[in-house]
Amino acid sequence: MALLNVTSPHAHGPLSTATVMQLVLLATVPGIAALVWIFGAGVLVNLAISAAVSLACEAAILKVRGRPVGFYLKDYSALVTAILLGIALPPYAPWWVVAIGACFAIGVAKQLYGGLGYNPFNPAMAAYVVLLISLPVQMTQWGAPFSNPAMGLGDALASNLFGSVDAVTSATPLDALKQGIGEAGQTFGSLGGFGWEWINLAFLAGGLYLLWRGIFTWHAPISMLIALAVMAFLFPNEAQGRIHSVLFHLFSGATMFGAFFIITDPVSSATTPRGKIVFGALIGVLIYAIRHWGNYPDAVAFAVMLLNLAAPFIDQYTQPRTFGHRGARS
Amino acid sequence: MSDIIFKLTGGVHPPQNKHQSTQRPIAAAGIPNTLVIPMSQHLGPPSKPIVAVGDRVLKGQCIGATDTLKSAFVHASTSGTVVAIEERPHNHASGLPALSVVIESDGRDEWQLMPAIKDWHLADRDTLLQRIHEAGVIGMGGAGFPAASKLSTDKNIHTLVMNGAECEPYITADQMLMTERAEEIILSCELLMHLLGAEKTLFGIEDNKPEAIAAVNAALIERGNDNIKVIVVPTVYPSGGSKQLIQILTGKEVPSPGHSSDLGIIMQNVATAVAAYRAIALGEASISRITTLSGDAIGEPQNIEVLIGTPLSQLLEQCQWQPARADRIVIGGPMMGYTITDTSLPVIKTTNCLLVPTREELPPPPPAQACIRCGLCAEACPVSLLPQQLYWFSRAGEHDKLQDHNLFDCIECGACSYSCPSNIPLVQYYRASKAEIRQAQADTEKAEHAKQRFEARQARLQRLEEEKVAQRAARAAAAKKRAEEAATASAKKDEVDPIQAAIERAKSKRAGGNTAATNESVNQVTKLEKRLTAAKIKLASAETVDSDKVPVLQEAVDKLTQQLAEAKANPVTTSHDAAVDPVQAAIERAKAKRAGNAAPASPADEIAKLEKRLASAIQKRDMARDSMPDKLEAFESAVATLEEKLAAAKAKAGE
């Protein structure tokens, strides 16, 4: 038997890219469960369509690019993008909205830039923004919390695919706040937006699990949440006090989902420890600015995309101090 | 012990796999029949062999010497005969062969000890350093840095750090040494503290070696030395890196660029310290070491004390290795070791481990996936580099950015590659880039050197050109002046006809007759010499000033030289034969012919000779046109005469 002649290290750690992606998928389960509980089975239909279209799109483009299809599909990155997009889209959105989003996320935002590792934008957020700007009507019709749970999977499918079953929709709490139509019990829950507080808590749980597993570091999510809270404290909603304003923004909309599943996407975010803090904090500030003073009710996608572009720049100026060197390099 | 310890930056936790090789005590390897002892086992220039083939050597006898502290002495590991001094395959990551002394052992293992320095605590620093140097002690933890060089620092050292961390998985050589020979290690600490003038020793041992910690602590209590402190450090790779262990034990970072001595700290590996101690207290040169054999393809994993130069195959067989199951042979540990494929390579002073894993144990590296910039590598990096940025820069060949991101601070510990979920061989990229940058720097230096040389040459050529121009101008002026003078002179008095003079000279010579032949030939030689000298001077000046005439002049000089030689060898005949002056020669020849007393030469010869003379006369005339305008006329008439004669000779031959 010929002896191997290879360079060190000869040992390799247990983590693989596929494992990282699988853990991320696992961590979305509590959030998805909360979404289903509050908005019904439409969420699952979204996820299924998104996953199917994304994987097909990824496979097709890899084939066109002459890359090994199986090798890249097995890294689960397309599935993660698909699930994150599916979570972000309104349940009971028409199927073609989801399909267009998935195609854009994989085909344009990811593969056109060179595939995994080369995309400057978070693919799910890029697709979300494209859909939001192109299809504002479909994209803002969120189901009313706890209004559609009785809908079975079949009804949900029918609603998504044919629009034959009308789902009960309503403005989201952030939207309601924006339009000044909020009322206690329907808009404001005990922590954040009515219903949304549970979704946020569930995503927080999943995120903490990933943090514990060491999939990402605390820097970006924590700094984003702190920045958002500080902004909400300094510039509270008129309808709420400072403390309530802080809680409302932390536990409404896509706050926790964004903090733990979107801005922690390693490919498109800053990578140095200090860089991640800057990256997260600026996203937090932008989210609040857009929510509070801007035209869009939720702002995570816009804030993330803006900072995605700034990530290489942030990295450049936040290099850690190398061991034994006097000052930090910049 | 409640010592404060500090956290290592980064680090990873690979499976330890230390238990396999610690079940048996340290065993002794036998004396091999043949030992191959390379002259470069250390960092630094190789030593030079000081024995010859056929010499009998004793165990511990110096066989390779050096005159610099940056290198290390090499010794025979057992007694026997030197059978070869030649390049042999070397146990080195480069795979390049090294000059080695091959010794056939006589099995007697006869020692030749250096005089022991028993009272070393009274000995001065230089004596001790000299001994450590002469005993060939080098860093045995793997780096192979000459110990005397490290210890000879001129910095003020307050702390000795003993490195017993042994953070690489599988390796237990230091662990077994500490467990079994703790007293010797404590004495080594005291010796090194004395040598360095250090106040204290911090003895770092990873917490996965409880037996070693207990043994060292027990020896310490027995010895009663309060200045040596064992500090148990958490198991994390690479805590045994010198800068890393200093960080853990003191919280200080060795400056970059710089050395630990800048902090007043010197670190030695335990095995190195013991080798230094034995060299001083016992007079033993560094001729053996403890090596771990481990991995699933080793039947009896254990530590073996082995003579330097022993073939690896002997150790492998002693430990019942299973070649069929062996997937690779790693020298060192799984994180930083290098693979070899030739088991006949020798054990050298830095061979701390032979790891022979099976394919299941350490699978071959899977294909690399895309970098997802997850940053796990940056978290693992013990020197706070950004491995994935370095990876992108390395792939793009951006040398400036690599250096800007401190690539050269990378210690190549492999923690980044280990933790990379995409299986990217990061360290390999850094090694390649480092080599490229070093090469580029060398090339730049070379180019700069060449540029300087070129510019210097250009300046020199320009200077010469200017000198030439100046000389030419001077010569032209001088020639003009001479011509003017000549014109005035010829106007004043009648010119002496050179031909007439020649005829007279010839007549007077003839009048001298044969009795004066010897005198004449002497005169002839003197004349020739004078002319040769003149021609040579002309040639030399033509060479420096104007190269156009050089070939012609050179020919003239050669001819004159030849004539002179002939004249000297054959005084009488050459005096007539040698055509010193074409005019004179022609006259002489004519007279000779007229006299008809000499046997006439054959017409063909005659013609050839005349042709030759004519050519030479033409040449001389042409030269005269440039340099001696006043004599041009004479030369021209000589040429005309010769041409006539040649025609006559040809006509004659035609009859």
Side-chain angles (χ1 to χ4, degrees):
Chain A
M1 176 175 211
L3 292 166
L4 267 187
N5 203 359
V6 291
T7 61
S8 65
H10 305 280
H12 193 267
L15 267 189
S16 70
T17 298
T19 315
V20 171
M21 298 294 172
Q22 286 165 345
L23 283 171
V24 171
L25 290 175
L26 181 66
T28 58
V29 169
I32 291 171
L35 279 169
V36 172
W37 172 46
I38 287 161
F39 293 109
V43 176
L44 296 177
V45 178
N46 268 4
L47 293 177
I49 296 171
S50 176
V53 174
S54 293
L55 289 175
C57 193
E58 173 106 336
I61 294 178
L62 283 171
K63 189 135 186 77
V64 169
R65 290 180 62 206
R67 303 295 163 108
V69 176
F71 179 75
Y72 282 103
L73 280 187
K74 271 186 227 154
D75 65 24
Y76 287 86
S77 61
L79 195 57
V80 167
T81 298
I83 297 302
L84 297 184
L85 177 66
I87 288 169
L89 296 179
Y92 309 104
W95 67 270
W96 47 271
V97 171
V98 183
I100 289 172
C103 278
F104 188 85
I106 299 294
V108 178
K110 182 181 176 187
Q111 292 291 349
L112 270 194
Y113 284 103
L116 181 62
Y118 295 90
N119 47 300
F121 297 110
N122 182 314
M125 288 302 102
Y128 180 86
V129 166
V130 164
L131 292 176
L132 186 60
I133 293 171
S134 315
L135 308 162
V137 177
Q138 287 83 353
M139 285 297 288
T140 46
Q141 290 190 340
W142 275 80
F146 302 112
S147 307
N148 302 306
M151 239 193 211
L153 206 55
D155 289 341
L157 256 180
S159 166
N160 279 60
L161 294 181
F162 314 112
S164 56
V165 178
D166 274 338
V168 181
T169 62
S170 75
T172 65
L174 283 167
D175 215 0
L177 181 72
K178 182 116 233 142
Q179 297 168 22
I181 54 172
E183 45 188 290
Q186 281 303 307
T187 306
F188 306 117
S190 39
L191 272 176
F194 178 68
W196 286 90
E197 56 206 2
W198 301 111
I199 295 166
N200 273 283
L201 281 171
F203 278 118
L204 173 62
L208 290 176
Y209 167 72
L210 289 180
L211 190 58
W212 173 66
R213 288 297 303 259
I215 298 305
F216 50 73
T217 60
W218 58 268
H219 303 82
I222 300 302
S223 71
M224 177 196 130
L225 294 177
I226 289 175
L228 182 62
V230 167
M231 289 297 285
F233 186 80
L234 292 179
F235 311 101
N237 300 324
E238 282 164 26
Q240 295 170 307
R242 285 179 193 276
I243 300 300
H244 271 96
S245 196
V246 168
L247 290 174
F248 179 80
H249 277 284
L250 286 180
F251 292 98
S252 296
T255 304
M256 291 299 167
F257 175 63
F260 289 98
F261 290 88
I262 297 299
I263 75 166
T264 52
D265 165 33
V267 176
S268 55
S269 67
T271 58
T272 67
R274 283 188 304 143
K276 286 184 207 167
I277 291 178
V278 173
F279 180 80
L282 288 177
I283 287 178
V285 170
L286 269 182
I287 288 174
Y288 193 81
I290 297 171
R291 277 183 184 177
H292 195 69
W293 295 297
N295 274 329
Y296 286 95
D298 205 355
V300 172
F302 290 107
V304 167
M305 283 192 67
L306 278 169
L307 265 296
N308 281 165
L309 268 188
F313 180 77
I314 295 173
D315 277 345
Q316 174 70 32
Y317 288 98
T318 52
Q319 287 181 43
R321 184 184 64 83
T322 305
F323 186 96
H325 284 252
R326 244 163 254 258
R329 297 192 65 89
S330 62
Chain B
M1 228 162 267
S2 62
D3 292 295
I4 305 160
I5 55 164
F6 300 84
K7 208 183 160 306
L8 174 78
T9 309
V12 290
H13 295 90
Q16 289 301 302
N17 286 309
K18 301 245 185 194
H19 59 277
Q20 298 96 317
S21 54
T22 53
Q23 308 303 315
R24 296 174 174 83
I26 300 172
I31 302 167
N33 293 330
T34 309
L35 297 99
V36 178
I37 304 176
M39 290 293 113
S40 54
Q41 306 177 28
H42 48 272
L43 274 184
S47 323
K48 294 189 178 66
I50 56 163
V51 288
V53 174
D55 283 4
R56 178 171 149 77
V57 290
L58 294 173
K59 182 177 189 169
Q61 180 185 332
C62 180
I63 55 171
T66 173
D67 53 6
T68 164
L69 274 184
K70 288 176 185 153
S71 182
F73 281 70
V74 182
H75 304 80
S77 328
T78 188
S79 58
T81 312
V82 176
V83 292
I85 299 173
E86 60 193 18
E87 299 253 307
R88 285 288 181 108
H90 187 20
N91 186 348
H92 189 265
S94 71
L96 297 172
L99 185 64
S100 307
V101 172
V102 184
I103 297 173
E104 206 153 274
S105 75
D106 57 13
R108 282 185 273 174
D109 214 22
E110 260 177 79
W111 265 104
Q112 183 194 75
L113 293 171
M114 291 175 274
I117 308 174
K118 291 248 185 290
D119 48 358
W120 48 262
H121 50 278
L122 300 174
D124 65 80
R125 178 184 140 94
D126 288 347
T127 311
L128 298 176
L129 276 176
Q130 187 60 27
R131 169 55 59 86
I132 290 172
H133 183 46
E134 282 171 5
V137 180
I138 63 169
M140 295 174 102
F145 193 79
S149 175
K150 196 191 232 185
L151 293 168
S152 66
T153 174
D154 51 5
K155 301 260 167 51
N156 191 18
I157 302 299
H158 51 74
T159 304
L160 169 71
V161 171
M162 282 299 270
N163 190 345
E166 206 170 49
C167 60
E168 271 259 12
Y170 288 99
I171 309 179
T172 54
D174 289 347
Q175 176 177 349
M176 293 306 287
L177 179 72
M178 290 187 283
T179 309
E180 294 193 10
R181 301 174 192 173
E183 302 80 15
E184 217 169 27
I185 293 175
I186 298 302
L187 290 170
S188 312
C189 292
E190 290 181 359
L191 166 74
L192 291 179
M193 280 166 69
H194 164 69
L195 193 162
L196 292 165
E199 302 147 18
K200 60 174 193 276
T201 296
L202 300 178
F203 198 141
I205 309 177
E206 269 192 353
D207 60 8
N208 60 356
K209 310 173 191 33
E211 298 90 353
I213 296 165
V216 173
N217 270 329
L220 206 48
I221 290 164
E222 202 172 302
R223 183 80 188 157
N225 191 332
D226 292 339
N227 297 324
I228 302 174
K229 263 190 208 166
V230 171
I231 301 178
V232 179
V233 302
T235 299
V236 56
Y237 179 86
S239 69
S242 76
K243 292 178 176 184
Q244 283 62 46
L245 188 57
I246 288 170
Q247 182 189 26
I248 295 171
L249 296 179
T250 67
K252 289 177 189 156
E253 289 183 12
V254 175
S256 170
H259 301 286
S260 65
S261 55
D262 297 336
L263 300 174
I265 298 170
I266 286 283
M267 167 175 292
Q268 285 293 348
N269 161 270
V270 286
T272 316
V274 168
Y277 171 78
R278 293 182 77 89
I280 287 166
L282 306 174
E284 288 180 11
S286 176
I287 47 106
S288 68
R289 68 154 300 129
I290 297 170
T291 297
T292 305
L293 275 93
S294 194
D296 284 356
I298 297 281
E300 293 176 358
Q302 59 187 306
N303 281 279
I304 295 192
E305 186 156 24
V306 56
L307 297 175
I308 304 303
T310 304
L312 299 176
S313 53
Q314 181 179 328
L315 293 187
L316 290 168
E317 274 150 29
Q318 188 174 347
C319 296
Q320 314 288 331
W321 79 308
Q322 297 141 4
R325 294 183 65 211
D327 190 46
R328 53 183 122 179
I329 301 178
V330 181
I331 304 294
M335 298 300 285
M336 290 185 78
Y338 55 91
T339 52
I340 53 125
T341 51
D342 176 5
T343 57
S344 71
L345 296 178
V347 170
I348 61 171
K349 291 176 193 173
T350 53
T351 311
N352 52 4
C353 180
L354 252 84
L355 173 60
V356 191
T358 59
R359 180 164 284 246
E360 296 70 39
E361 193 178 5
L362 292 180
Q369 290 171 285
C371 169
I372 54 167
R373 297 161 40 101
C374 64
L376 289 173
C377 49
E379 285 172 48
C381 182
V383 285
S384 299
L385 296 173
L386 293 172
Q388 45 126 341
Q389 312 281 82
L390 292 174
Y391 161 70
W392 293 111
F393 297 145
S394 175
R395 285 189 56 158
E398 294 181 85
H399 292 174
D400 292 348
K401 290 232 173 185
L402 283 168
Q403 281 172 286
D404 194 45
H405 281 65
N406 300 322
L407 172 67
F408 282 90
D409 281 278
C410 169
I411 59 170
E412 298 178 22
C413 66
C416 51
S417 303
Y418 175 85
S419 56
C420 178
S422 291
N423 299 307
I424 299 169
L426 294 162
V427 179
Q428 208 172 320
Y429 279 97
Y430 309 150
R431 284 195 194 111
S433 283
K434 281 182 182 176
E436 275 170 22
I437 291 173
R438 287 198 190 103
Q439 184 62 48
Q441 282 170 344
D443 288 350
T444 313
E445 259 169 48
K446 223 169 135 186
E448 185 56 37
H449 194 67
K451 193 181 161 203
Q452 282 173 3
R453 275 202 326 234
F454 174 75
E455 282 168 353
R457 179 172 182 272
Q458 288 296 97
R460 180 171 55 82
L461 289 181
Q462 198 186 340
R463 202 185 62 233
L464 285 179
E465 185 62 33
E466 280 162 6
E467 279 172 10
K468 253 191 219 171
V469 168
Q471 278 185 10
R472 232 180 255 158
R475 262 179 51 229
K480 204 177 167 192
K481 202 176 164 192
R482 259 207 317 275
E484 280 166 5
E485 276 170 9
T488 34
S490 66
K492 275 178 187 169
K493 60 174 182 178
D494 288 335
E495 204 181 337
V496 181
D497 185 358
I499 300 175
Q500 197 55 44
I503 291 168
E504 274 162 23
R505 248 192 344 264
K507 274 181 185 164
S508 75
K509 267 181 202 165
R510 209 177 30 179
N514 288 338
T515 48
T518 316
N519 278 344
E520 200 178 321
S521 74
V522 170
N523 286 346
Q524 193 69 13
V525 168
T526 321
K527 257 188 211 166
L528 275 169
E529 277 173 342
K530 273 185 188 164
R531 287 187 59 186
L532 178 58
T533 315
K536 274 184 179 165
I537 290 167
K538 246 187 230 169
L539 174 62
S541 75
E543 271 174 344
T544 49
V545 179
D546 197 343
S547 57
D548 294 350
K549 286 184 205 148
V550 170
V552 179
L553 286 167
Q554 184 65 51
E555 207 173 289
V557 168
D558 290 347
K559 208 168 169 187
L560 281 169
T561 314
Q562 200 191 337
Q563 282 171 358
L564 180 59
E566 277 171 14
K568 276 179 179 169
N570 201 354
V572 184
T573 49
T574 47
S575 68
H576 295 289
D577 241 326
V580 175
D581 187 338
V583 182
Q584 187 192 352
I587 289 165
E588 270 180 35
R589 182 165 286 280
K591 306 245 178 204
K593 257 188 194 169
R594 208 171 30 195
N597 52 4
S602 78
D605 279 357
E606 192 83 336
I607 290 169
K609 265 182 193 165
L610 277 169
E611 270 172 350
K612 212 170 163 191
R613 266 193 209 134
L614 175 60
S616 141
I618 290 170
Q619 213 171 68
K620 273 186 188 158
R621 182 197 63 194
D622 292 345
M623 266 163 59
R625 209 173 260 157
D626 280 329
S627 50
M628 300 179 286
D630 42 345
K631 286 191 184 151
L632 183 58
E633 211 178 70
F635 280 114
E636 263 168 359
S637 72
V639 168
T641 317
L642 276 167
E643 271 169 353
E644 268 172 40
K645 285 199 175 166
L646 182 58
K650 274 182 181 167
K652 203 179 170 187
E655 281 169 23

